[in-house]
Coordinates of all heavy atoms in Angstrom, one line a residue:
Y469 N 36.3 17.6 10.9 CA 34.9 17.2 10.8 C 34.3 18.0 9.6 O 34.6 19.2 9.4 CB 34.1 17.4 12.0 CG 32.8 16.8 12.0 CD1 32.6 15.5 11.9 CD2 31.6 17.6 11.9 CE1 31.3 14.9 11.8 CE2 30.3 17.1 11.8 CZ 30.2 15.7 11.8 OH 28.9 15.1 11.7
V470 N 33.4 17.4 8.8 CA 32.9 18.0 7.6 C 32.3 19.4 7.7 O 32.4 20.2 6.9 CB 32.1 17.0 6.8 CG1 30.8 16.7 7.5 CG2 31.9 17.5 5.3
S471 N 31.5 19.6 8.8 CA 30.8 20.9 9.0 C 31.9 22.0 9.1 O 31.7 23.1 8.6 CB 29.9 20.9 10.2 OG 30.6 20.6 11.3
D472 N 33.0 21.7 9.8 CA 34.0 22.8 9.9 C 34.6 23.0 8.5 O 34.9 24.2 8.2 CB 35.2 22.3 10.9 CG 34.7 22.4 12.3 OD1 33.9 23.3 12.7 OD2 35.3 21.5 13.1
M473 N 34.8 21.9 7.8 CA 35.5 22.1 6.4 C 34.6 23.0 5.6 O 35.1 23.9 4.9 CB 35.6 20.7 5.8 CG 36.2 20.7 4.4 SD 37.8 21.6 4.3 CE 38.7 20.7 5.5
V474 N 33.3 22.7 5.6 CA 32.3 23.5 4.7 C 32.4 25.0 5.1 O 32.4 25.9 4.3 CB 30.9 22.9 4.8 CG1 29.9 23.8 4.3 CG2 30.8 21.5 4.1
D475 N 32.4 25.2 6.4 CA 32.4 26.6 6.9 C 33.7 27.3 6.3 O 33.7 28.4 5.9 CB 32.4 26.6 8.4 CG 32.5 27.9 9.1 OD1 31.9 28.9 8.5 OD2 33.2 28.1 10.1
G476 N 34.8 26.6 6.5 CA 36.1 27.1 6.0 C 36.1 27.4 4.5 O 36.6 28.4 4.0
L477 N 35.5 26.5 3.7 CA 35.5 26.7 2.2 C 34.7 27.9 1.8 O 35.0 28.7 1.0 CB 34.9 25.4 1.5 CG 35.7 24.1 1.6 CD1 35.0 23.0 1.0 CD2 37.1 24.3 1.0
I478 N 33.5 28.1 2.5 CA 32.6 29.2 2.2 C 33.3 30.5 2.6 O 33.3 31.5 1.9 CB 31.3 29.0 2.8 CG1 30.5 27.9 2.2 CG2 30.4 30.3 2.7 CD1 29.2 27.5 2.8
R479 N 34.0 30.5 3.8 CA 34.7 31.8 4.2 C 35.8 32.1 3.2 O 36.0 33.3 2.9 CB 35.3 31.6 5.6 CG 34.4 31.8 6.7 CD 35.1 31.4 8.0 NE 34.1 31.3 9.0 CZ 34.0 32.1 10.1 NH1 34.9 33.2 10.1 NH2 33.1 32.0 11.0
L480 N 36.4 31.1 2.7 CA 37.5 31.4 1.7 C 36.9 32.0 0.4 O 37.4 32.9 -0.1 CB 38.3 30.0 1.4 CG 39.4 30.1 0.4 CD1 40.5 31.1 0.7 CD2 40.0 28.7 0.2
M481 N 35.8 31.3 0.0 CA 35.2 31.8 -1.3 C 34.7 33.3 -1.1 O 34.9 34.1 -2.0 CB 34.0 30.9 -1.6 CG 33.2 31.4 -2.9 SD 34.2 31.3 -4.4 CE 33.5 29.8 -5.2
E482 N 34.2 33.6 0.0 CA 33.6 34.9 0.2 C 34.6 35.9 0.6 O 34.4 37.1 0.5 CB 32.5 34.9 1.3 CG 31.3 33.9 1.0 CD 30.5 34.3 -0.2 OE1 30.6 35.5 -0.6 OE2 30.0 33.4 -0.9
G483 N 35.8 35.5 1.0 CA 36.8 36.5 1.5 C 37.6 37.0 0.4 O 37.3 36.8 -0.8
E484 N 38.7 37.7 0.8 CA 39.5 38.5 -0.2 C 40.8 37.9 -0.6 O 41.6 38.4 -1.3 CB 39.8 39.9 0.5 CG 38.6 40.8 0.7 CD 37.8 41.0 -0.6 OE1 38.5 41.3 -1.6 OE2 36.6 40.8 -0.6
H485 N 41.1 36.7 -0.1 CA 42.4 36.1 -0.2 C 42.4 34.9 -1.2 O 41.5 34.0 -1.1 CB 43.0 35.7 1.1 CG 43.1 36.8 2.0 ND1 44.2 37.7 2.0 CD2 42.2 37.4 3.0 CE1 44.0 38.7 2.9 NE2 42.8 38.5 3.5
T486 N 43.3 34.9 -2.1 CA 43.4 33.8 -3.1 C 43.8 32.5 -2.4 O 43.5 31.4 -2.9 CB 44.5 34.1 -4.1 OG1 45.7 34.3 -3.5 CG2 44.1 35.4 -5.0
G487 N 44.6 32.5 -1.3 CA 45.2 31.3 -0.9 C 46.5 31.1 -1.6 O 47.0 32.0 -2.4
P488 N 47.1 29.8 -1.6 CA 46.5 28.7 -0.9 C 46.4 28.8 0.6 O 47.3 29.4 1.2 CB 47.4 27.6 -1.3 CG 48.7 28.3 -1.7 CD 48.3 29.6 -2.2
I489 N 45.3 28.3 1.1 CA 45.2 28.3 2.6 C 44.8 26.9 3.1 O 44.0 26.3 2.5 CB 44.0 29.3 3.0 CG1 44.4 30.7 2.6 CG2 43.7 29.2 4.5 CD1 43.5 31.8 3.2
N490 N 45.6 26.5 4.1 CA 45.3 25.2 4.7 C 44.0 25.2 5.4 O 43.8 26.1 6.3 CB 46.4 24.8 5.7 CG 47.8 24.6 5.1 OD1 47.9 24.2 3.9 ND2 48.8 24.6 5.9
I491 N 43.1 24.2 5.2 CA 41.9 24.1 6.0 C 41.9 22.7 6.5 O 41.9 21.7 5.8 CB 40.6 24.4 5.2 CG1 40.8 25.8 4.6 CG2 39.4 24.4 6.1 CD1 39.6 26.4 4.0
G492 N 42.0 22.6 7.9 CA 42.1 21.3 8.5 C 42.2 21.5 10.0 O 42.3 22.6 10.5
N493 N 42.0 20.3 10.7 CA 42.1 20.4 12.2 C 43.5 19.9 12.6 O 43.9 18.8 12.3 CB 41.0 19.4 12.7 CG 40.8 19.5 14.2 OD1 41.8 19.8 14.9 ND2 39.6 19.4 14.6
P494 N 44.2 20.8 13.4 CA 45.5 20.4 13.8 C 45.6 19.3 14.8 O 46.7 18.8 15.0 CB 46.1 21.7 14.4 CG 45.1 22.8 14.1 CD 43.8 22.1 13.8
G495 N 44.5 18.8 15.3 CA 44.6 17.7 16.3 C 45.2 16.5 15.5 O 44.6 16.0 14.5
E496 N 46.4 16.0 16.0 CA 47.1 15.0 15.2 C 47.1 13.6 15.9 O 47.3 13.6 17.1 CB 48.6 15.5 15.1 CG 49.5 14.6 14.2 CD 50.9 15.1 14.2 OE1 51.3 16.0 15.0 OE2 51.7 14.5 13.4
F497 N 46.9 12.6 15.2 CA 46.8 11.2 15.8 C 47.6 10.2 15.0 O 47.6 10.3 13.7 CB 45.3 10.7 15.8 CG 44.4 11.6 16.6 CD1 43.9 12.8 16.0 CD2 44.2 11.4 17.9 CE1 43.0 13.6 16.7 CE2 43.4 12.2 18.7 CZ 42.8 13.4 18.1
T498 N 48.2 9.2 15.6 CA 48.8 8.1 14.9 C 47.6 7.2 14.5 O 46.5 7.3 15.1 CB 49.8 7.3 15.7 OG1 49.0 6.6 16.8 CG2 50.8 8.2 16.3
M499 N 47.8 6.3 13.5 CA 46.7 5.5 13.1 C 46.4 4.5 14.2 O 45.2 4.0 14.3 CB 47.1 4.7 11.8 CG 47.1 5.7 10.6 SD 45.7 6.8 10.5 CE 46.4 8.4 11.1
V500 N 47.4 4.1 15.0 CA 47.1 3.2 16.2 C 46.2 4.0 17.1 O 45.2 3.4 17.6 CB 48.4 2.7 16.8 CG1 48.1 2.0 18.1 CG2 49.1 1.7 15.9
E501 N 46.5 5.2 17.4 CA 45.7 6.0 18.3 C 44.2 6.1 17.8 O 43.3 6.0 18.5 CB 46.2 7.4 18.5 CG 47.4 7.5 19.4 CD 48.2 8.9 19.4 OE1 48.0 9.6 18.4 OE2 49.0 9.0 20.3
L502 N 44.1 6.3 16.5 CA 42.8 6.5 15.9 C 42.0 5.1 16.0 O 40.8 5.1 16.4 CB 42.9 6.8 14.4 CG 41.5 6.8 13.6 CD1 40.7 8.0 14.1 CD2 41.7 6.9 12.1
A503 N 42.7 4.0 15.8 CA 42.0 2.7 15.9 C 41.6 2.5 17.4 O 40.5 2.0 17.6 CB 43.0 1.6 15.5
E504 N 42.5 2.8 18.3 CA 42.1 2.7 19.8 C 40.9 3.5 20.1 O 40.1 3.1 20.9 CB 43.3 3.1 20.6 CG 44.6 2.3 20.5 CD 44.5 0.9 21.1 OE1 43.5 0.6 21.7 OE2 45.5 0.2 21.1
T505 N 40.8 4.8 19.6 CA 39.7 5.6 19.9 C 38.4 5.0 19.3 O 37.4 5.0 20.0 CB 40.0 7.0 19.3 OG1 41.3 7.4 19.7 CG2 39.0 8.0 19.7
V506 N 38.5 4.6 18.1 CA 37.3 4.0 17.5 C 36.8 2.7 18.3 O 35.6 2.5 18.5 CB 37.5 3.6 15.9 CG1 36.4 2.7 15.4 CG2 37.7 4.9 15.1
K507 N 37.8 2.0 18.6 CA 37.6 0.7 19.4 C 36.8 1.1 20.7 O 35.8 0.6 21.1 CB 38.9 0.1 19.7 CG 38.9 -1.2 20.5 CD 40.3 -1.7 20.6 CE 40.5 -2.6 21.9 NZ 40.4 -4.0 21.6
E508 N 37.4 2.1 21.4 CA 36.9 2.5 22.7 C 35.4 3.1 22.6 O 34.5 2.7 23.3 CB 37.8 3.6 23.3 CG 37.3 4.1 24.7 CD 37.9 5.5 24.9 OE1 39.1 5.7 24.6 OE2 37.2 6.3 25.5
L509 N 35.2 3.9 21.5 CA 33.9 4.6 21.4 C 32.9 3.6 20.8 O 31.7 3.8 21.1 CB 34.1 5.8 20.5 CG 34.9 7.0 21.0 CD1 35.0 8.0 19.9 CD2 34.2 7.5 22.3
I510 N 33.2 2.7 19.9 CA 32.3 1.9 19.2 C 32.2 0.5 19.5 O 31.1 0.0 19.7 CB 32.5 2.1 17.6 CG1 32.4 3.6 17.2 CG2 31.4 1.3 16.9 CD1 32.6 3.9 15.8
K511 N 33.3 -0.2 19.7 CA 33.2 -1.6 20.0 C 34.5 -2.1 20.7 O 35.5 -2.5 20.1 CB 33.1 -2.4 18.7 CG 32.5 -3.8 18.9 CD 32.1 -4.4 17.5 CE 31.6 -5.8 17.7 NZ 30.2 -5.9 18.2
P512 N 34.5 -2.0 22.1 CA 35.7 -2.2 22.9 C 36.3 -3.6 22.7 O 37.5 -3.8 22.9 CB 35.2 -2.1 24.3 CG 34.0 -1.2 24.2 CD 33.3 -1.5 22.9
D513 N 35.5 -4.6 22.2 CA 36.1 -5.9 22.1 C 36.6 -6.2 20.7 O 37.1 -7.4 20.4 CB 35.1 -7.0 22.5 CG 33.8 -7.0 21.6 OD1 33.7 -6.1 20.8 OD2 33.0 -7.9 21.8
V514 N 36.6 -5.2 19.8 CA 37.1 -5.5 18.4 C 38.7 -5.6 18.4 O 39.3 -5.0 19.3 CB 36.6 -4.4 17.5 CG1 37.5 -3.1 17.5 CG2 36.5 -4.9 16.1
E515 N 39.2 -6.4 17.5 CA 40.6 -6.5 17.4 C 41.2 -5.5 16.5 O 40.6 -5.0 15.5 CB 41.0 -7.9 16.9 CG 40.8 -9.0 18.0 CD 41.2 -10.3 17.5 OE1 41.8 -10.5 16.4 OE2 40.8 -11.3 18.2
I516 N 42.6 -5.3 16.8 CA 43.3 -4.4 15.8 C 44.3 -5.3 15.1 O 45.1 -6.0 15.7 CB 44.0 -3.2 16.6 CG1 42.9 -2.3 17.2 CG2 45.0 -2.4 15.7 CD1 43.4 -1.2 18.0
N517 N 44.3 -5.2 13.8 CA 45.1 -6.1 13.0 C 46.1 -5.2 12.1 O 45.7 -4.3 11.4 CB 44.2 -6.9 12.0 CG 44.9 -8.0 11.3 OD1 46.0 -8.3 11.6 ND2 44.2 -8.5 10.3
M518 N 47.4 -5.5 12.4 CA 48.4 -4.7 11.6 C 48.5 -5.3 10.2 O 48.8 -6.5 10.1 CB 49.8 -4.7 12.3 CG 49.8 -4.1 13.7 SD 49.3 -2.5 13.8 CE 50.5 -1.6 13.0
V519 N 48.4 -4.5 9.1 CA 48.4 -5.1 7.8 C 49.5 -4.3 6.9 O 49.9 -3.2 7.4 CB 47.1 -5.0 7.0 CG1 46.0 -5.8 7.8 CG2 46.6 -3.6 6.9

Side-chain angles (χ1 to χ4, degrees):
Y469 191 68
V470 66
S471 57
D472 283 332
M473 179 55 55
V474 165
D475 178 36
L477 294 177
I478 293 176
R479 278 172 193 250
L480 176 60
M481 177 65 106
E482 299 300 333
E484 294 305 311
H485 300 275
T486 58
I489 296 191
N490 290 338
I491 305 191
N493 190 322
E496 185 185 8
F497 300 85
T498 68
M499 292 313 104
V500 168
E501 284 167 346
L502 176 69
E504 297 285 3
T505 310
V506 169
K507 178 179 156 97
E508 179 202 322
L509 293 175
I510 301 181
K511 203 170 178 70
D513 60 352
V514 81
E515 281 181 12
I516 292 177
N517 189 12
M518 301 302 292
V519 301

